[in-house]
Amino acid sequence: MSGTAKKKMLYIMGVDWDWIYQRPQILAEKLDRDFDVTVAFPRKIYRKPPVPDRRSTVRKLCFPILPLQEKNRIVGLFGRWLYKIIFRDYQQYDYIYIGYPLYGSCIPEDYDGCVIYDCMDNHRAMLTAPRRIRRIAEQEEELVGRCRLLLVSSETLRRKTNRVAGYDKAVLVRNGTGSFVSCPVKKPAVRKVYDIGYIGTIAEWFDYRLLQSSAEKNRRIRYHLIGPVLNRPAENEAIRYEGILPHDRLASAVENYDCLVMPFLVNDIVSSVDPVKLYEYIAFGKCIISVYYSELEHFRDFVYFYHTEEEYLALVEELCRSGFPAKYNERQRAAFLAANDWEERYRILKKAIDGAQAQPRTG
């Protein structure tokens, strides 16, 4: 693109830019190399703006989330009117990249550029109120049909969105890992007490009871939970909350841990996820334990899986005896990271965008 102006892209994220640094922020920063990107992101009006934990040159536009916006009809109407004002210059963008289906309604039907929808989650499963479920389902079906490029982060989401589209429309762009860390694969070491870590959001899908039960039955393990807490059970001697850490400090935080774990309750939300944390756990070179669901099959050579609490307890006991050896070696890890880093994902994404732009708009 040297010598020519970059094409403009409006990237509407579904989460606050200063939330956990994952797929939306990573892809936005990489897209900014080839496009003139403006990232629009939501923030609750009563939330104090956080101090950013990293530098970024991406142009940003924060738009407000009003109290009860998705629950109260009048507030919702006012919110949509506000968004029309915020996004009134939509025609200046060659691409509009949408990361949350409800924000598809911000873009009027007369927009003649390339709409991209990145489906990263099973959004319907995250809601409980029937009216809200119905609305997000309708908005997503409309967006799936309207977008020129449909991206998904997992095979489960690919099948789901293809059923909505009525044909094989979705392009799979899995999550990945960055080159921010270089940790040797941990060697097993038998100890009196082992430290097991978790990195990520602690919410209703987090199986706290499993950790509590295992800590009560096995006094040789301690858990360290790193990340934001949406549902916080009581802290105890064996389960410690370490708070939210900047992304570039995670490697040093887990350096002395013996194992990293993903203890999720498998539901409709979790079963659709290609978890970023497992890619990063492999980058950290640790012994890894995770609940099993079919979307994780491509991690089989790197992760010790369990299906039930009994399997988890037996697995932890066995790994205690052997010093928590990693399931993989350095050669396997290097090959996996090379094939699954964010640069490789971005190559797939950029090729898909170039192909979508070449196609005539339909619908």
Side-chain angles (χ1 to χ4, degrees), residues 137-160:
E138 292 170 351
Q139 291 288 331
E140 185 165 54
E141 288 174 6
E142 181 179 336
L143 187 55
V144 166
R146 179 188 184 187
C147 67
R148 197 179 300 179
L149 175 59
L150 173 60
L151 306 170
V152 293
S153 60
S154 72
E155 282 287 354
T156 304
L157 292 174
R158 187 183 68 83
R159 292 191 295 270
K160 180 178 80 77

Side-chain angles (χ1 to χ4, degrees), residues 5-21:
K6 293 181 179 179
K7 291 187 176 181
K8 291 187 174 183
M9 176 181 290
L10 176 63
Y11 190 119
I12 307 179
M13 288 177 47
V15 295
D16 192 320
W17 177 268
D18 292 305
W19 187 244
I20 296 176
Y21 183 72

Side-chain angles (χ1 to χ4, degrees), residues 17-186:
W17 177 268
D18 292 305
W19 187 244
I20 296 176
Y21 183 72
Q22 288 192 359
R23 179 187 181 100
Q25 297 94 327
I26 293 168
L27 292 182
E29 290 180 338
K30 293 191 180 303
L31 286 163
D32 196 49
R33 300 186 314 211
D34 295 303
F35 303 91
D36 180 3
V37 175
T38 297
V39 172
F41 63 90
R43 178 171 292 161
K44 295 177 180 178
I45 61 172
Y46 50 81
R47 181 177 182 231
K48 182 180 179 181
V51 177
D53 63 16
R54 63 190 181 280
R55 295 180 180 179
S56 175
T57 60
V58 179
R59 186 186 302 110
K60 303 178 192 68
L61 170 65
C62 177
F63 60 91
I65 297 293
L66 305 178
L68 303 177
Q69 184 168 317
E70 297 301 325
K71 297 180 179 180
N72 183 284
R73 181 174 175 273
I74 301 301
V75 178
L77 288 172
F78 180 75
R80 286 190 286 277
W81 171 80
L82 187 61
Y83 293 163
K84 286 183 179 180
I85 296 176
I86 294 172
F87 299 118
R88 62 184 179 276
D89 296 327
Y90 60 92
Q91 288 290 14
Q92 71 171 299
Y93 297 101
D94 301 285
Y95 306 87
I96 297 182
Y97 189 121
I98 299 171
Y100 185 61
L102 289 185
Y103 296 143
S105 62
C106 298
I107 311 306
E109 283 298 317
D110 65 349
Y111 173 67
D112 54 9
C114 180
V115 174
I116 302 169
Y117 173 41
D118 191 353
C119 181
M120 308 175 220
D121 292 293
N122 185 346
H123 299 288
R124 305 179 202 190
M126 294 180 171
L127 304 174
T128 56
R131 186 181 67 84
R132 296 182 67 196
I133 294 173
R134 185 167 56 252
R135 180 163 180 260
I136 203 167
E138 292 170 351
Q139 291 288 331
E140 185 165 54
E141 288 174 6
E142 181 179 336
L143 187 55
V144 166
R146 179 188 184 187
C147 67
R148 197 179 300 179
L149 175 59
L150 173 60
L151 306 170
V152 293
S153 60
S154 72
E155 282 287 354
T156 304
L157 292 174
R158 187 183 68 83
R159 292 191 295 270
K160 180 178 80 77
T161 54
N162 280 343
R163 284 196 297 270
V164 174
Y167 65 101
D168 190 10
K169 182 175 184 177
V171 176
L172 177 63
V173 182
R174 287 193 181 277
N175 293 319
T177 184
S179 57
F180 63 92
V181 63
S182 179
C183 302
V185 175
K186 174 193 168 295

